[in-house]
Amino acid sequence: MRLGIVSDTHDDLDAVEAAVETFEREDCDAVVHCGDIVAPFSATPFAAGFEFHAVRGNNDGEWALADTVDDFGTYHGETAELTFDGREIVVYHGTSGAVVDALVECGRYDYVLHGHTHEFVHETYEDTVRINPGGVPFEGAPGPHYAVVLDTGSDRVVDAGSDDLERFTLSDGVE
């Protein structure tokens, strides 16, 4: 199964549309948004040809967002526990770094997916892989905003830029 991962789109429709186009082009079966969609209008492009899951970010202040997402996908609230191809995945926005660390270190999950810092992370701790696709650029977190595709059958994060990690750029970093 091919799983698309994105976070912190913050009503940036260009980034949202680029993510949706990437996930459709890469034949994703499901997409996870790690929070900070913000307003309902920027969630609706994710009503596409894939299963959609989202968690609440610290900037998702409109409660109508949950109803909008639930019209075409699943809005899980603060966290989501998902299983794809027998892989245990937890999704949390990442507002608390201590909670992210605890999720990674507890050993219960194959993958911990989060956002919040707007900085790309792909690292392994023991048997758990932590992925943060980044977010729309802002001063202090100047890296590009990426979409990530994970093949849960092979445990390969797809990235056109290297052999072991592929990321798809949604927007450039801050200069």
Side-chain angles (χ1 to χ4, degrees), residues 30-41:
V31 168
V32 172
H33 195 297
C34 300
D36 278 0
I37 295 171
V38 183
F41 77 87

Side-chain angles (χ1 to χ4, degrees), residues 8-12 33 35-43 55-66 75 136:
D8 295 278
T9 50
H10 289 272
D11 288 342
D12 183 331
H33 195 297
D36 278 0
I37 295 171
V38 183
F41 77 87
S42 64
V55 297
R56 179 175 171 75
N58 61 303
N59 286 295
D60 291 332
E62 283 199 51
W63 289 104
L65 178 61
Y75 190 81
V136 292

Side-chain angles (χ1 to χ4, degrees), residues 1-3 85 111 149-158:
M1 171 178 221
R2 293 175 65 77
L3 177 64
D85 285 332
Y111 294 95
V149 177
L150 171 66
D151 184 329
T152 58
S154 68
D155 289 329
R156 183 168 175 262
V157 176
V158 180

Side-chain angles (χ1 to χ4, degrees), residues 11-158:
D11 288 342
D12 183 331
L13 281 178
D14 290 338
V16 169
E17 290 168 1
V20 170
E21 288 171 14
T22 297
F23 298 141
E24 289 178 328
R25 182 183 68 244
E26 295 299 316
D27 295 322
C28 290
D29 302 292
V31 168
V32 172
H33 195 297
C34 300
D36 278 0
I37 295 171
V38 183
F41 77 87
S42 64
T44 56
F46 289 105
F50 43 71
E51 185 180 326
F52 184 71
H53 299 270
V55 297
R56 179 175 171 75
N58 61 303
N59 286 295
D60 291 332
E62 283 199 51
W63 289 104
L65 178 61
D67 293 334
T68 299
V69 170
D70 282 337
D71 284 344
F72 60 88
T74 305
Y75 190 81
H76 294 272
E78 296 297 319
T79 60
E81 291 182 310
L82 306 169
T83 304
F84 297 114
D85 285 332
R87 306 294 192 260
E88 298 299 321
I89 300 168
V90 65
V91 185
Y92 165 65
H93 180 58
T95 310
S96 168
V99 171
V100 172
D101 291 345
L103 291 169
V104 169
E105 294 169 6
C106 76
R108 179 176 175 188
Y109 304 102
D110 298 300
Y111 294 95
V112 174
L113 311 180
H114 73 94
H116 186 62
T117 64
H118 293 239
E119 294 181 274
F120 176 80
V121 175
H122 174 244
E123 62 187 17
T124 302
Y125 174 82
E126 295 181 1
D127 293 327
T128 301
V129 177
R130 174 181 163 214
I131 299 172
N132 178 344
V136 292
F138 67 90
E139 188 132 0
H145 189 190
Y146 298 110
V148 174
V149 177
L150 171 66
D151 184 329
T152 58
S154 68
D155 289 329
R156 183 168 175 262
V157 176
V158 180

